[in-house]
């Protein structure tokens, strides 16, 4: 069974959350839409339902083309993305602190 990230544990496993979580965990690289759908564990058609919104909000940005595939990366210069990174860090920190507290009691 795959372990959920702290971001997914708190915000749910909707397709948008799964894609954002994937990018938060792998923000240093760029990916094709096929790779994004596969790695976020969502369907190709599901990704296309909201992908244009992520691009329009400048949460993700096109980086280059490889053959016919457009590559995308998390736009870490975007204020929304900066806040998402902060939230992800704080959620992780809080959940780790809770785990440590529980393990010390046990």
């Amino acid at each position: 069974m795959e372990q959920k990230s702290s971001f997914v544990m708190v915000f749910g496993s909707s397709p948008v959350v799964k894609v954002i979580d994937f990018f938060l965990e792998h923000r240093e690289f760029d990916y094709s839409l096929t790779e994004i759908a596969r790695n976020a564990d969502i369907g190709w058609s599901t990704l296309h339902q909201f992908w244009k919104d992520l691009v329009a909000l400048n949460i993700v940005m096109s980086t280059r083309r490889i053959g016919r595939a457009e590559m995308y990366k998390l736009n870490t210069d975007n204020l929304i993305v900066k806040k998402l990174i902060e939230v992800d860090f704080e959620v992780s920190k809080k959940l780790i602190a809770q785990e440590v507290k529980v393990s010390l009691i046990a």
Side-chain angles (χ1 to χ4, degrees), residues 24 27 57-61 63 73-86:
L24 288 171
R27 60 181 163 258
L57 288 169
N58 208 20
I59 291 171
V60 295
M61 61 183 185
T63 56
K73 181 177 184 171
L74 190 65
N75 183 2
T76 55
D77 292 330
N78 181 305
L79 182 59
I80 295 168
V81 172
K82 288 179 182 183
K83 295 295 182 185
L84 286 169
I85 291 168
E86 287 177 27

Side-chain angles (χ1 to χ4, degrees), residues 59-74:
I59 291 171
V60 295
M61 61 183 185
S62 175
T63 56
R64 60 191 169 131
R65 288 189 78 78
I66 298 179
R68 292 181 20 202
E70 190 81 25
M71 305 297 282
Y72 293 91
K73 181 177 184 171
L74 190 65

Side-chain angles (χ1 to χ4, degrees), residues 1 9 11 22 42-43 69 71 76 86 89 92 96-97 104-105:
M1 183 173 164
M9 287 173 58
F11 296 105
F22 167 71
I42 64 170
M71 305 297 282
T76 55
E86 287 177 27
F89 178 75
S92 296
I96 288 169
L104 289 175
I105 293 171

